[in-house]
Amino acid sequence: MGRRARGRRLPQQQRSEGAEDGAEGGGKRGEAGWEGGYPEIVKENKLFEHYYQELKIVPEGEWGQFMDALREPLPATLRITGYKSHAKEILHCLKNKYFKELENLEVDGQKVEVPQPLSWYPEELAWHTNLSRKILRKSPQLEKFHQFLVSETESGNISRQEAVSMIPPLLLSVQPHHKILDMCAAPGSKTTQLIEMLHADMNVPFPEGFVIANDVDNKRCYLLVHQAKRLSSPCIMVVNHDASSIPRLLVDVGGRKEVLFYDRILCDVPCSGDGTMRKNIDVWKKWSTLNSLQLHGLQLRIATRGAEQLAGGGRMVYSTCSLNPIEDEAVIASLLEKSEGCLGALELADVSSELPGLKWMPGITQWKVMTKDGQWFTDWDDVPHSRHTQIRPTMFPPKEPAKLQAMHLERCLRILPHHQNTGGFFVAVLVKKSSMPWNKRQPKLQGKSAGSRETSQLSPADPPEGKPADPSSLESQSVTGTGDTEIIQTSENLENNGNKKDGVCGPPPSKKMKLFGFKEDPFVFIPEDDPLLPPIERFYALDPSFPKMNLLTRTTEGKKRQLYMVSKELRNVLLNNSERMKVINTGIKVWCRNNSGEEFDCAFRLAQEGIYTLYPFINSRIITVSMEDVKILLTQENPFFRKLSSETYSQAKDLAKGSIVLKYEPDPTNPDALQCPIVLCGWRGKASIRTFVPKNERLHYLRMMGLEVLAEKKKEGASEANDSIGHAGQPEGEEGGEQSAEAEAKASSPDAAGGDPDAAGGDPDAAGCDPPGAEPSR
């Protein structure tokens, strides 16, 4: 919805798309829109008013309220993210500290409205306020609150996201075992919602499900990586494809190759974005029906491709931030018609009771098509031949009343801005009852060679780019049904005849698909007999259940500097599809190599990014610390043992030097203390302990324990940031035989671009290769 999609899209669409998900990725224009900028743009568009009044999408008597709401700035909204126990602590902190400080506060003569929870979002985890970003940034009275929002956003605990953007993931009803495809994912706020749902149970390090997040724009994929990395999940993979022809993937099931079908698909398509007028103010000037007419075909192709890859009984959410039925109901009606109507493969689900408190209008069943110069058409037969390239038959509602009634288009949801002070939005929830009609027919194999079978059956580019996806063209390209096993196995044999090494997932060959942007390093799974593993297993006393086959690195040559980890399900996907897809990033960092690390019995230290995943398998080098110890460890760079509690000292004194785990367990008998567990990476030195925790994560934990770090800390300059992020991630330089911390940081910091060959392209946070304009909200 409002995503940057292809070069052929209109400039206005490119400008309006990025800010849909709140602050992330909106760029300067999105920020200006939120702040009520563009004073030269008059919020009037007579053609827009004429069009929507004629279509009657707004209830009678509410038109004035609808237009007034569109002219008002959009309220700021935020969502509390993260795992459940941490989310509850953040909510407690917000309600009892920051929101209380906003009571009776006036800024520039305007009374500040105390944030209120969104009535329809579960567990009070989403809030809205009348504070604009401009006021938050400029007002001295709100400085602490603004610092809190920025810091917690960076550490992945808060997402500043538009309210209506939160709806699609909720309606997907995700469970931890679901395989999920996010087809048009950047900038990633909905993706992070999906990841959170997978990790609903914090005690399960590897949920069975996973999220494959796709975007067509290579640069925006790196923004997507940044957003997803904040949640540190081993169950997320970012890929770079055109959603309308996203490849069909294979997985190994009991030694046989089977097509991967997804339990849940988010189909949040590129759109004209006229529901975002409250912040993308240039939409007022640029709005035209031509935008919708040009995007309709692409939207239908993406939705069709999603429906093809949906598992039986699975759920797909189609959404746009457009109010236009050409992009909304027309796409859904056409998709249902393709699936052979009420008895076909797809059905619109009735979700009216799933988000109690959300106000919405039912989908419409009759609409007309208008050209950019204001000419109306009510039927395809009335469209002159000269207009056939611009207007398509799929843009009109079905003619037969019985067919139209059976589709239940009224089950679609259209959110109007004036009903709950939000943006405009459209959502439809589809459930798959059986295979799509063109997938039901058995492929004709007689008379074809194995090579031609592979070409016709496993082409990763169906339907062809730029053409409507019709059943006849898709029939010969399907890979489902009992007759497809032979095809898949034949194809795999052909692909594996090359010099492909075991466990190495290289980038896809250039001849099979067009690639743009950065060239990605391969994903190399570490063999179970690799000599680097036994010292790690002994040093940390890893549990026998530790899935070491899921460890990977991003280099085939030289020393392995970073070790990453994925879930076994994503490992299966990676190993079986390196020829089919362009993977931008997957896995979380669990170990980093130390310079001179062999001196400490183990060459690899723990990485904070993956500690919550790794911790359940570690049985050694764990120090239980008190809340006071945590405060000292996070506020002092290198505290000596004597500064810590006697209990902590007694645990640390007999440990050999090297990487350690610091674990805080909440005390249920002390309700005033922090009530969520904390796991930190540290280093046991000669006479002191150091933590390896990124700056914003440090601030987060201190905040949860009631310590506010004031803005004056910024004046200490870059050294403070280095201590917290890269510098603090290294073994201390207190012995003559060790390098200084500064030299060590330059040599082996996980955040230093020069010392991390694994990070070349695949880890923009580490390699410093975020493309221009791909900055998250800060």
Side-chain angles (χ1 to χ4, degrees):
M1 51 182 269
R3 299 280 188 261
R4 179 171 302 153
R6 288 131 187 93
R8 62 177 179 269
R9 292 186 54 196
L10 300 178
Q12 177 272 323
Q13 293 155 7
Q14 291 178 341
R15 284 198 296 270
S16 67
E17 63 193 335
E20 167 272 319
D21 281 319
E24 296 97 357
K28 291 182 180 178
R29 298 185 77 87
E31 289 179 12
W34 198 320
E35 294 168 12
Y38 301 117
E40 75 280 5
I41 295 178
V42 178
K43 296 178 182 178
E44 295 284 347
N45 189 309
K46 295 301 181 187
L47 190 64
F48 172 87
E49 294 193 46
H50 170 65
Y51 182 72
Y52 282 116
Q53 279 182 312
E54 187 73 20
L55 291 179
K56 296 182 170 55
I57 65 161
V58 178
E60 193 146 349
E62 296 183 18
W63 182 259
Q65 300 168 50
F66 170 73
M67 291 303 297
D68 288 345
L70 282 179
R71 293 186 178 103
E72 288 294 317
L74 191 69
T77 48
L78 61 90
R79 180 174 59 80
I80 299 169
T81 66
Y83 300 146
K84 285 294 173 67
S85 57
H86 284 245
K88 288 174 183 174
E89 290 295 326
I90 296 168
L91 179 59
H92 177 80
C93 185
L94 269 173
K95 290 170 72 172
N96 294 283
K97 177 176 173 56
Y98 293 99
F99 291 169
K100 283 191 180 298
E101 292 176 2
L102 298 179
E103 292 176 3
N104 305 315
L105 187 64
E106 284 195 11
V107 176
D108 296 339
Q110 179 185 4
K111 189 177 187 306
V112 172
E113 171 193 311
V114 176
Q116 297 296 319
L118 297 177
S119 60
W120 45 268
Y121 201 96
E123 301 182 57
E124 288 192 336
L125 292 179
W127 295 71
H128 69 100
T129 174
N130 68 339
L131 293 168
S132 71
R133 292 180 74 191
K134 183 176 182 180
I135 292 174
L136 275 172
R137 286 176 169 178
K138 304 298 182 186
S139 170
Q141 303 102 301
L142 298 171
E143 185 178 8
K144 279 168 55 173
F145 184 44
H146 181 242
Q147 278 186 22
F148 169 83
L149 292 177
V150 171
S151 176
E152 294 295 331
T153 298
E154 275 300 285
S155 53
N157 298 305
I158 279 180
S159 179
R160 287 179 283 173
Q161 178 182 357
E162 185 179 342
V164 290
S165 166
M166 305 173 192
I167 296 171
L170 292 177
L171 291 177
L172 273 176
S173 301
V174 168
Q175 299 297 319
H177 64 276
H178 283 156
K179 302 173 182 66
I180 307 164
L181 173 64
D182 190 349
M183 299 187 77
C184 308
S189 54
K190 297 184 192 67
T191 310
T192 59
Q193 271 182 277
L194 298 173
I195 297 170
E196 291 162 39
M197 294 171 182
L198 284 183
H199 291 276
D201 185 352
M202 196 176 176
N203 296 315
V204 180
F206 291 102
E208 288 182 36
F210 57 78
V211 177
I212 294 180
N214 173 71
D215 201 83
V216 70
D217 189 298
N218 182 264
K219 289 182 179 179
R220 285 166 65 84
C221 282
Y222 289 89
L223 173 59
L224 185 53
V225 169
H226 180 96
Q227 295 290 77
K229 270 184 168 294
R230 296 183 309 151
L231 270 72
S232 300
S233 169
C235 305
I236 170 71
M237 178 188 291
V238 175
V239 299
N240 180 201
H241 288 280
D242 179 347
S244 65
S245 56
I246 192 166
R248 194 185 302 275
L249 303 183
L250 303 179
V251 287
D252 189 297
V253 180
R256 294 177 51 189
K257 297 291 188 292
E258 294 188 6
V259 175
L260 171 61
F261 289 99
Y262 300 94
D263 303 299
R264 297 290 186 266
I265 294 181
L266 179 55
C267 187
D268 185 44
V269 296
C271 70
S272 61
D274 60 19
T276 68
M277 280 180 157
R278 299 183 68 175
K279 62 185 175 196
N280 295 324
I281 302 181
D282 55 348
V283 177
W284 284 96
K285 184 173 66 175
K286 301 288 187 179
W287 186 90
S288 164
T289 56
L290 183 62
N291 302 349
S292 298
L293 299 178
Q294 290 182 334
L295 283 165
H296 169 88
L298 173 64
Q299 293 162 338
L300 181 54
R301 289 197 301 278
I302 294 174
T304 303
R305 190 60 175 161
E308 287 180 322
Q309 301 210 18
L310 189 63
R315 180 177 276 210
M316 180 173 90
V317 168
Y318 175 89
S319 60
T320 76
C321 53
S322 170
L323 300 172
N324 198 326
I326 306 303
E327 303 177 61
D328 299 340
E329 285 92 346
V331 172
I332 296 300
S334 181
L335 186 59
L336 290 171
E337 200 158 14
K338 278 170 173 278
S339 75
E340 298 184 345
C342 60
L343 300 176
L346 298 174
E347 177 182 63
L348 264 174
D350 182 357
V351 293
S352 56
S353 61
E354 292 192 16
L355 292 180
L358 178 66
K359 295 179 183 176
W360 49 274
M361 295 298 297
I364 60 176
T365 56
Q366 291 297 328
W367 61 88
K368 300 182 288 184
V369 178
M370 188 176 82
T371 62
K372 66 176 182 179
D373 51 8
Q375 185 178 2
W376 289 96
F377 295 102
T378 56
D379 193 281
W380 167 247
D381 297 334
D382 300 333
V383 180
H385 188 75
S386 60
R387 299 278 191 179
H388 282 190
T389 55
Q390 185 184 102
I391 299 175
R392 304 299 302 150
T394 52
M395 296 176 181
F396 295 89
K399 284 184 180 180
E400 302 171 32
K403 182 186 287 187
L404 185 62
Q405 186 177 1
M407 287 182 178
H408 293 292
L409 292 179
E410 72 279 356
R411 292 177 178 173
C412 299
L413 279 60
R414 179 175 276 102
I415 289 90
L416 298 179
H418 64 292
H419 283 164
Q420 283 178 303
N421 198 12
T422 64
F425 206 69
F426 175 87
V427 193
V429 182
L430 295 151
V431 174
K432 193 168 186 180
K433 300 191 295 181
S434 62
S435 296
M436 299 299 279
W438 53 92
N439 292 137
K440 289 177 181 175
R441 307 180 184 109
Q442 291 299 319
K444 298 176 182 178
L445 302 182
Q446 294 82 1
K448 288 191 178 183
S449 66
S452 64
R453 289 176 196 169
E454 183 195 12
T455 303
S456 63
Q457 301 297 332
L458 285 172
S459 167
D462 53 296
E465 174 63 25
K467 297 179 182 178
D470 62 84
S472 61
S473 68
L474 290 165
E475 178 186 351
S476 65
Q477 298 168 354
S478 305
V479 203
T480 53
T482 55
D484 292 327
T485 306
E486 179 187 347
I487 301 165
I488 294 167
Q489 290 173 337
T490 304
S491 166
E492 287 301 299
N493 292 335
L494 286 170
E495 289 176 1
N496 292 333
N497 282 341
N499 297 322
K500 186 175 172 183
K501 298 178 183 177
D502 289 342
V504 179
C505 308
S510 58
K511 288 183 180 178
K512 287 205 171 183
M513 60 181 80
K514 293 179 181 178
L515 299 179
F516 302 96
F518 304 104
K519 177 178 170 59
E520 294 301 324
D521 289 333
F523 292 83
V524 185
F525 283 94
I526 296 171
E528 292 188 60
D529 58 355
D530 193 299
L532 70 76
L533 290 178
I536 295 175
E537 291 176 295
R538 287 193 300 271
F539 192 71
Y540 297 102
L542 295 183
D543 194 86
S545 64
F546 176 68
K548 56 187 176 182
M549 67 173 60
N550 298 350
L551 287 171
L552 60 87
T553 185
R554 296 298 301 272
T555 180
T556 52
E557 300 175 359
K559 275 190 174 182
K560 300 174 177 67
R561 300 196 63 86
Q562 318 285 342
L563 302 186
Y564 301 88
M565 188 163 229
V566 294
S567 64
K568 69 175 183 180
E569 289 78 13
L570 278 187
R571 179 182 189 273
N572 192 345
V573 173
L574 271 171
L575 286 176
N576 288 290
N577 297 281
S578 62
E579 306 266 337
R580 291 186 177 83
M581 61 181 182
K582 181 180 179 184
V583 180
I584 299 296
N585 193 277
T586 191
I588 51 171
K589 193 181 300 179
V590 287
W591 279 292
C592 306
R593 182 181 289 274
N594 288 317
N595 281 10
S596 307
E598 288 80 359
E599 297 176 20
F600 311 116
D601 299 326
C602 180
F604 287 88
R605 66 170 179 83
L606 298 163
Q608 182 67 27
E609 179 184 322
I611 192 60
Y612 283 97
T613 298
L614 202 56
Y615 173 74
F617 302 102
I618 297 174
N619 293 311
S620 176
R621 305 194 62 79
I622 299 172
I623 297 177
T624 303
V625 292
S626 67
M627 197 163 88
E628 288 306 312
D629 287 332
V630 175
K631 290 178 182 178
I632 292 169
L633 288 163
L634 293 179
T635 53
Q636 299 183 27
E637 182 184 337
N638 214 23
F640 290 109
F641 292 153
R642 65 175 179 269
K643 293 187 178 181
L644 303 172
S645 65
S646 57
E647 291 84 357
T648 298
Y649 173 68
S650 64
Q651 297 172 72
K653 65 177 181 175
D654 296 326
L655 283 179
K657 288 182 65 174
S659 191
I660 55 173
V661 178
L662 300 161
K663 176 69 185 288
Y664 164 75
E665 288 284 3
D667 180 2
T669 63
N670 181 9
D672 295 330
L674 184 66
Q675 290 301 305
C676 67
I678 295 177
V679 183
L680 306 174
C681 291
W683 185 268
R684 195 274 193 211
K686 182 179 179 182
S688 63
I689 291 178
R690 163 176 289 190
T691 52
F692 302 168
V693 183
K695 177 181 176 182
N696 284 310
E697 204 165 333
R698 286 176 179 238
L699 298 180
H700 161 70
Y701 289 130
L702 290 170
R703 228 178 253 118
M704 295 305 101
M705 292 182 289
L707 285 182
E708 187 68 40
V709 181
L710 300 176
E712 287 76 46
K713 294 285 283 183
K714 294 179 185 175
K715 297 174 184 176
E716 295 175 17
S719 61
E720 187 265 343
N722 289 336
D723 288 342
S724 298
I725 302 175
H727 190 85
Q730 304 308 319
E732 59 207 318
E734 56 188 315
E735 286 190 280
E738 297 180 35
Q739 296 183 8
S740 71
E742 182 180 359
E744 187 77 16
K746 288 180 180 176
S748 63
S749 167
D751 299 309
D756 187 4
D758 298 338
D763 187 351
D765 298 331
C769 60
D770 262 345
E775 286 299 310
S777 58
R778 287 194 168 98

